[in-house]
Amino acid sequence: MEHIVIIGNGIAGVTAARHIRKLSDKRITIISAESEFFFSRTALMYVYMGHMKFEHTQPYENDFWAKNRIELVHDYVHTVETDAKKVHLNSGRDIMYDKLILATGSISNKFGWPGQDLEGVQGLVSRQDLEQLEISAPNNKVCKRAVIIGGGLIGVELAEMMASRQIPVTFLIREKGFWSGVLPMPNAEMISRHVRSHHIDLREEEEMAQIIADDSGKVKSIITKKGDVIPCDFVGICAGVRPRIEFLENSSIELQRGIMVDRYLETSVKDVYAIGDCAQQREPVGERKPIEAVWYTGRMMGEALAQTICGNPTKWNPGHWFNSAKFFDIEYQTYGWVWSNPKEGHDHFHWQHADDKRAVTIEYDLATRKFIGINTFGIRMKHEVFDVWLSNSKTVDHVVENLDKACFNPEFFEKPFKKIKQAFTTIQQIKA
Amino acid sequence: MSIYQRNMSLTGEPPKALSTTEKIASASGMVGLFILVLAFFNVNLPWKGAWLTASLVLISSGIITFARAQYSHKQAGIKNDGVWFKDLSSRGFWGWVLAIFLTSFYIVLYFFPATLGQGTDGAANTGLIGLFDPLSYLLKGQAASQWFVYGTLYTVAILSFGIKFILKYRHNSYEVIRTGSVMFFQTTFAFLIPEIMAGLNSTKDLPYYDLKNVWPLNYYLFEQWNVNALLVNGSLGMTMLLFGIASILVITPILTYKYGKRWYCSWVCGCGGLAETAGDSFRQLSDKSTGAWKIERWLVHSVLVFAVISTVGIVHSYLPKNNIYKIWEDGAVVKQYETFFTQSNFLILVGVGLTIIFALIWIFRRNELKQDARYGAIGFLFTILAFIGIHFMAGTDNLFFFNHGAVKSAYGFLIGAVFSGVIGTGFYPILGNRAWCRFGCPMAAILGLQQRLFSKFRITTNGGQCISCGNCSTYCEMGIDVRSYAQKGENIVRASCVGCGICSAVCPRGVLKLENGPLEGRINSDAVLLGQEPDLMELLSDNKN
């Protein structure tokens, strides 16, 4: 019986395992050092905030794995020997594989800041990071101030976590508005205002220069590039993530930033595949980046690779881009592409509610009026409807006219679509 | 998730101590409660009306002030911070203290009303019940009873905690409107109208009748004293009896078809009302394991069968052998009716009715039932039919071998008192706020069958946006593992769902929505998560079938 070994029990690895089991009888082994059972990393923040206990983040009951004949190995892989088709574990055990799936995920980016390895400096990617956080910042007496570096999704989550325990937060971001590398300026500024309204000391266009230690080797303060000294007991490093691939450096698998894969998610070595955050596409798909550290991408790569492994060679061919997040109280969804600045020949339509918590940005082609993508804030939208609209190349006028058909808000919620339509019509008239 | 990993010590600390306002609010509530305790220990309070008013005002304003201090300075949104760190809401010490206190209160209320000061044999009320006399006289011109005390406190709880709930979920129109509805139905239909009705007619009492309380939740609807009381009241009483029957057979199925059982369980029902308002802090404690799910399905449907048997026995016991129904009072016949409902006709009718219902489900909805549900349904039907058959062959007066009185009092004791009160509410801080609705309510079982088999209601999931975080499952008070559906992209069509809407509210990605839609495609077991190119979607979809 063919033995499939999966390194990493995140969403990518586990989805691959589940789908291989659905399609076949192959022997499946998942190796992870992080946790015995699969849990949803996206939910780590809720454990710290006290919304959930850790066991609530585990989507399957513990007997699920044995029932589905998926072997779990709680260990660390230190090397992979592709010639002998073997992985070596820290415990000294070797596991032979017929096919190997690398789904090792990512680690926090560190850019060589002085003091970046001090006690009290960390990112938030793994369960171990969360355990460390409980030591460094259990409350606002041990941690009198936290500094968070980097204005991305993990940064704002960490800020929300700290705020839930009344720990004062200084949040340094390089850009002029929150996540403005991705969000158009009006959206970015709205989120910046929202973050500040939760008493977060958000400092834009500011970067960290170095971290200063106290006598015991713990963080004492940081110095910003503008020269400000901010005393703090915790520094959250949230300047993006990079693939976790060091253990493969002496293997024959081709690496760049991530593990190089072709469109079938196969690495340079036969029978070795990589999926999720750690995989780097040789040829990016459409407008997508070669490495996508996105939960949904991990899930979908797992689905696609399971087909290939089970004898139905399937290219990694994702559908229309989508993503979502929540910034404190504002939910964000995006379908299709909305660039921070409209691409050439494109334009943005912005609408914002007076409450400063709801907004829509639509990107469209000026000449053909083709709908390119939408960002929504505080308004829930139906994935399926936008998928169809994007596939059928609907116009921006059609989309704005029919927005209410894509609404996924709960019953009795106020629907702002009339106002959005009016604003759109007015702007079109002015432009015409 | 029955076997949790217990080796992780991710323990946080409560975010903060109580603020000054919260302390004052707690003190106010405690003083209000203390007045009730004084009355309970028979401290003679003059001006009872004033003391009672003071007590109720202090308690409710304490709750409301506390809630305001908790939520009003925060922005509108989901505020579950520290729920699992707080002792009270995570089965900690104070959770157990509260559970024991509530349980003791229910035991005294149901089984030892004399302890509360209920006057017997015409004696005046004393103690706690005596304290409530002025309000009772005001509403219906009679002295209070233990149920009046309970009804008043119940209503105060739903109103005050309802305001707390509304403050907490003020960003969510569905929750605000739904809670307003529950508060309205409790105050008027469950409390004021029946009390006033009972007081209006002093010579021939109209029975205390909560119009929204439907059989089998209202398990005494068909008891002789209740039926007689309705019948002697002429056309109004008759209308009420017919309304009671229409509620079960016509009104309930139609509303459930259109809106799911939530119209009752989350918008109208008093038990649900208390669970949603006073019990909201405990919703995360419901057990989500498949083990609990199995227990739930067998238990709640067994209670339903028990309720049917008990009611059939009771009705049978007072129906005439021939076709004349007589109402006796003080040894004399006060009224008599010609009736089709003789004992035999009634039993045949019940047998035929149940068989038809069973046959309809079997013919049209068989594939929607799980294996164990099919076995259960067959088993339950044959149990009831066998009882009826044996009765005809044996020809005894006692239906089902046992004395109908014994069945009735067993039902009243086990289900009406122990389950719905003592365990159902007393154990909020341990089993979650809907333990009764989930494991014991026969009404929820009937509505659940309707919801599962022919309702337009479902919870839909949004394409591929679920991140499996588990907030929905954690905060489902009915113990449904919502996430297991959401992460597969399946609609959630469950008999137990009461449509409280909290799963949708706590979802950080906006993936869940309560909807009424067409019956076709409601149970889409082949649904897949979106995101892939179309060919792979088709493959995935095939492989799921």
Side-chain angles (χ1 to χ4, degrees):
Chain A
M1 195 164 37
E2 199 177 29
H3 189 194
I4 313 294
V5 173
I6 302 169
I7 305 178
N9 71 345
I11 185 62
V14 164
T15 307
R18 279 181 41 243
H19 280 260
I20 292 170
R21 175 53 70 239
K22 275 183 190 171
L23 297 168
S24 77
D25 251 349
K26 297 177 199 297
R27 183 177 166 205
I28 304 171
T29 302
I30 302 180
I31 308 170
S32 166
E34 185 179 358
S35 62
E36 194 180 351
F37 299 105
F38 169 56
F39 70 97
S40 185
R41 275 155 194 79
T42 46
L44 277 177
M45 65 180 291
Y46 300 109
V47 176
Y48 181 87
M49 291 167 74
H51 293 206
M52 292 198 267
K53 293 207 283 185
F54 181 75
E55 50 262 38
H56 295 134
T57 67
Q58 296 176 182
Y60 305 103
E61 290 188 48
N62 293 352
D63 59 1
F64 172 89
W65 308 100
K67 246 191 314 200
N68 288 282
R69 287 174 294 119
I70 297 172
E71 292 166 48
L72 302 179
V73 176
H74 192 33
D75 205 337
Y76 188 85
V77 176
H78 68 81
T79 37
V80 173
E81 207 181 317
T82 51
D83 295 336
K85 288 199 160 185
K86 227 189 248 183
V87 296
H88 300 285
L89 307 182
N90 265 10
S91 62
R93 187 178 155 196
D94 293 344
I95 296 181
M96 304 289 294
Y97 65 81
D98 295 305
K99 286 193 171 120
L100 179 68
I101 300 175
L102 303 166
T104 54
S106 31
I107 50 172
S108 303
N109 264 336
K110 288 188 179 178
F111 294 108
W113 295 290
Q116 67 181 15
D117 296 316
L118 288 171
E119 200 188 321
V121 182
Q122 65 166 94
L124 183 68
V125 179
S126 66
R127 193 181 88 151
Q128 282 70 24
D129 288 338
L130 188 66
E131 283 169 343
Q132 190 54 47
L133 188 66
E134 284 287 358
I135 297 166
S136 307
N139 55 41
N140 58 13
K141 293 191 184 69
V142 174
C143 177
K144 295 199 171 56
R145 177 166 290 275
V147 172
I148 295 168
I149 313 298
L153 298 181
I154 297 180
V156 74
E157 284 180 0
L158 195 52
E160 187 176 353
M161 290 159 69
M162 297 289 168
S164 78
R165 295 198 187 181
Q166 279 90 45
I167 296 171
V169 177
T170 297
F171 191 2
L172 306 185
I173 63 177
R174 267 197 321 200
E175 299 88 3
K176 263 188 162 160
F178 176 81
W179 212 26
S180 62
V182 174
L183 298 179
M185 214 48 200
N187 299 161
E189 284 170 341
M190 183 181 80
I191 300 299
S192 281
R193 287 192 295 273
H194 186 65
V195 170
R196 286 204 175 96
S197 76
H198 284 86
H199 314 293
I200 305 294
D201 170 25
L202 178 71
R203 302 194 189 176
E204 286 148 353
E205 297 180 276
E206 179 66 288
E207 285 179 71
M208 183 171 70
Q210 61 168 317
I211 307 172
I212 311 293
D214 66 6
D215 300 336
S216 60
K218 220 181 121 274
V219 57
K220 185 176 78 178
S221 60
I222 66 143
I223 301 177
T224 69
K225 284 205 172 154
K226 288 180 185 163
D228 286 350
V229 177
I230 307 171
C232 59
D233 301 296
F234 174 85
V235 179
I237 302 289
C238 306
V241 292
R242 62 185 158 85
R244 181 195 286 268
I245 53 171
E246 321 80 74
F247 74 107
L248 295 171
E249 265 155 20
N250 295 320
S251 74
S252 45
I253 300 165
E254 187 191 345
L255 309 172
Q256 275 187 16
R257 245 176 76 76
I259 304 164
M260 300 307 287
V261 293
D262 61 17
R263 284 296 290 276
Y264 291 93
L265 302 166
E266 193 164 24
T267 65
S268 58
V269 175
K270 195 175 176 309
D271 291 334
V272 180
Y273 302 84
I275 52 176
D277 288 13
C278 67
Q280 180 175 355
Q281 299 291 318
R282 284 178 202 283
E283 26 164 344
V285 182
E287 305 274 15
R288 289 168 183 256
K289 289 180 191 149
I291 300 178
E292 274 179 8
V294 176
W295 195 92
Y296 303 114
T297 303
R299 188 202 87 214
M300 296 190 295
M301 283 182 167
E303 291 167 356
L305 179 58
Q307 296 287 338
T308 306
I309 297 258
C310 296
N312 173 30
T314 303
K315 277 188 181 179
W316 163 236
N317 203 6
H320 301 291
W321 171 256
F322 70 97
N323 203 359
S324 61
K326 192 173 181 187
F327 310 110
F328 285 87
D329 300 314
I330 297 182
E331 286 171 19
Y332 156 72
Q333 293 181 336
T334 186
Y335 300 104
W337 293 108
V338 179
W339 308 97
S340 53
N341 290 303
K343 285 219 157 168
E344 211 185 314
H346 290 184
D347 199 5
H348 277 174
F349 160 67
H350 296 290
W351 172 85
Q352 195 156 320
H353 194 276
D355 67 8
D356 210 19
K357 286 186 175 184
R358 278 174 284 178
V360 167
T361 295
I362 297 177
E363 178 149 342
Y364 62 99
D365 189 290
L366 271 170
T368 62
R369 302 199 63 75
K370 190 180 148 194
F371 168 69
I372 309 292
I374 185 169
N375 285 346
T376 64
F377 298 85
I379 306 167
R380 295 178 173 181
M381 289 291 185
K382 262 187 210 154
H383 189 171
E384 208 182 336
V385 175
F386 279 105
D387 231 34
V388 172
W389 285 347
L390 286 162
S391 295
N392 298 342
S393 300
K394 292 289 181 194
T395 62
V396 61
D397 309 277
H398 177 89
V399 169
V400 172
E401 185 59 36
N402 293 288
L403 264 186
D404 54 328
K405 291 196 180 116
C407 181
F408 202 69
N409 273 344
E411 291 153 301
F412 308 120
F413 271 49
E414 184 206 338
K415 289 184 177 163
F417 303 117
K418 242 188 194 162
K419 288 179 194 161
I420 296 175
K421 267 182 232 174
Q422 274 167 5
F424 183 72
T425 320
T426 316
I427 287 169
Q428 296 305 312
Q429 281 162 354
I430 294 168
K431 287 194 175 168
Chain B
M1 273 148 268
S2 53
I3 315 150
Y4 287 144
Q5 234 178 308
R6 303 240 180 233
N7 57 349
M8 253 192 73
S9 53
L10 288 179
T11 46
E13 294 182 16
K16 62 178 170 127
L18 295 182
S19 72
T20 317
T21 322
E22 284 167 337
K23 280 179 189 158
I24 294 170
S26 311
S28 147
M30 287 299 161
V31 172
L33 270 180
F34 185 65
I35 295 174
L36 298 184
V37 172
L38 284 182
F40 176 76
F41 286 108
N42 270 316
V43 174
N44 194 17
L45 301 166
W47 310 300
K48 286 201 168 71
W51 281 107
L52 177 65
T53 312
S55 166
L56 297 181
V57 167
L58 282 170
I59 291 174
S60 44
S61 64
I63 295 168
I64 295 163
T65 313
F66 192 94
R68 279 185 59 98
Q70 250 190 320
Y71 301 117
S72 60
H73 68 282
K74 290 182 188 160
Q75 294 185 36
I78 291 300
K79 297 291 173 259
N80 285 325
D81 294 351
V83 163
W84 282 101
F85 307 147
K86 286 175 193 153
D87 202 53
L88 188 64
S89 54
S90 63
R91 291 196 198 102
F93 177 76
W94 288 110
W96 280 97
V97 168
L98 183 63
I100 291 166
F101 172 76
L102 286 174
T103 307
S104 318
F105 172 72
Y106 273 92
I107 290 172
V108 171
L109 180 78
Y110 278 101
F111 307 116
F112 309 102
T115 320
L116 296 175
Q118 178 82 62
T120 45
D121 298 327
N125 289 330
T126 54
L128 185 63
I129 298 181
L131 183 70
F132 282 74
D133 274 343
L135 182 61
S136 186
Y137 276 108
L138 185 72
L139 286 175
K140 60 177 174 186
Q142 294 168 15
S145 66
Q146 92 230 54
W147 303 120
F148 182 80
V149 172
Y150 182 49
T152 311
L153 292 176
Y154 201 102
T155 308
V156 166
I158 289 189
L159 289 178
S160 330
F161 284 106
I163 292 172
K164 170 181 182 266
F165 192 90
I166 288 173
L167 280 170
K168 181 175 172 187
Y169 295 99
R170 62 188 184 275
H171 63 292
N172 190 313
S173 313
Y174 180 75
E175 299 303 337
V176 172
I177 297 173
R178 182 173 69 77
T179 308
S181 164
V182 161
M183 290 159 77
F184 167 77
F185 278 104
Q186 174 61 32
T187 323
T188 55
F189 280 66
F191 185 62
L192 289 177
I193 294 176
E195 294 295 348
I196 292 169
M197 240 165 54
L200 272 183
N201 196 330
S202 55
T203 49
K204 282 234 165 27
D205 287 334
L206 269 181
Y208 182 103
Y209 189 48
D210 178 354
L211 285 167
K212 67 172 177 52
N213 208 358
V214 184
W215 180 90
L217 188 57
N218 170 6
Y219 57 88
Y220 52 81
L221 177 67
F222 295 113
E223 283 189 14
Q224 189 165 22
W225 58 266
N226 192 50
V227 172
N228 283 354
L230 290 168
L231 288 178
V232 292
N233 272 291
S235 54
L236 179 59
M238 195 59 165
T239 312
M240 281 159 69
L241 186 62
L242 290 176
F243 177 77
I245 296 168
S247 300
I248 309 157
L249 297 176
V250 185
I251 302 174
T252 309
I254 290 177
L255 285 171
T256 309
Y257 164 70
K258 288 188 112 153
Y259 307 110
K261 74 197 242 194
R262 56 183 173 149
W263 74 268
Y264 191 73
C265 297
S266 285
W267 288 72
V268 171
C269 176
C271 303
L274 191 72
E276 291 294 336
T277 52
D280 178 59
S281 309
F282 308 109
R283 57 172 55 253
Q284 65 282 354
L285 300 176
S286 59
D287 191 340
K288 276 83 184 178
S289 66
T290 42
W293 184 21
K294 280 183 191 149
I295 295 173
E296 167 196 319
R297 290 193 295 165
W298 281 100
L299 199 54
V300 77
H301 294 111
S302 302
V303 171
L304 177 59
V305 171
F306 194 15
V308 171
I309 291 179
S310 166
T311 305
V312 171
I314 286 160
V315 176
H316 176 269
S317 73
Y318 62 74
L319 287 179
K321 283 203 160 64
N322 53 35
N323 61 348
I324 305 293
Y325 181 79
K326 294 171 183 154
I327 298 178
W328 295 78
E329 214 166 81
D330 302 327
V333 176
V334 288
K335 249 185 189 178
Q336 63 179 37
Y337 299 87
E338 208 170 308
T339 175
F340 161 78
F341 291 100
T342 61
Q343 290 190 332
S344 311
N345 284 353
F346 172 69
L347 285 187
I348 293 168
L349 211 63
V350 170
V352 170
L354 287 174
T355 312
I356 290 175
I357 292 173
F358 179 83
L360 286 175
I361 294 176
W362 203 255
I363 294 165
F364 294 108
R365 287 289 186 266
R366 179 185 178 163
N367 297 330
E368 292 181 14
L369 295 177
K370 293 205 174 215
Q371 196 72 22
D372 58 345
R374 292 186 203 173
Y375 291 148
I378 296 171
F380 284 147
L381 179 74
F382 277 93
T383 312
I384 295 176
L385 291 185
F387 270 133
I388 294 175
I390 292 167
H391 171 75
F392 273 111
M393 283 189 277
T396 63
D397 273 355
N398 277 349
L399 183 60
F400 313 150
F401 306 120
F402 17 72
N403 181 307
H404 66 83
V407 179
K408 172 190 140 183
S409 56
Y411 186 85
F413 173 78
L414 285 174
I415 311 300
V418 175
F419 211 150
S420 79
V422 179
I423 298 176
T425 312
F427 281 25
Y428 273 6
I430 306 301
L431 298 175
N433 56 335
R434 286 258 192 187
W436 156 249
C437 313
R438 185 182 172 195
F439 294 103
C441 177
M443 183 72 198
I446 290 190
L447 295 179
L449 285 172
Q450 296 172 0
Q451 168 161 290
R452 182 68 181 75
L453 297 175
F454 62 80
S455 171
K456 293 158 89 85
F457 172 71
R458 85 289 309 268
I459 304 175
T460 51
T461 55
N462 193 9
Q465 294 274 17
C466 174
I467 52 165
S468 301
C469 73
N471 270 294
C472 51
S473 290
T474 307
Y475 285 89
C476 176
E477 56 192 351
M478 294 304 285
I480 301 171
D481 191 1
V482 184
R483 164 176 53 194
S484 67
Y485 297 84
Q487 65 188 2
K488 284 181 270 188
E490 275 183 29
N491 286 348
I492 297 147
V493 181
R494 280 279 295 267
S496 56
C497 175
V498 291
C500 69
I502 295 294
C503 57
S504 160
V506 297
C507 176
R509 296 293 190 268
V511 175
L512 299 160
K513 184 175 186 233
L514 278 58
E515 287 189 58
N516 308 311
L519 286 176
E520 295 78 46
R522 188 172 77 112
I523 302 171
N524 55 345
S525 59
D526 62 345
V528 279
L529 293 164
L530 288 173
Q532 304 276 11
E533 48 91 25
D535 287 353
L536 183 56
M537 290 285 290
E538 270 166 38
L539 267 172
L540 289 170
S541 162
D542 288 346
N543 127 41
K544 286 216 179 184
N545 278 337

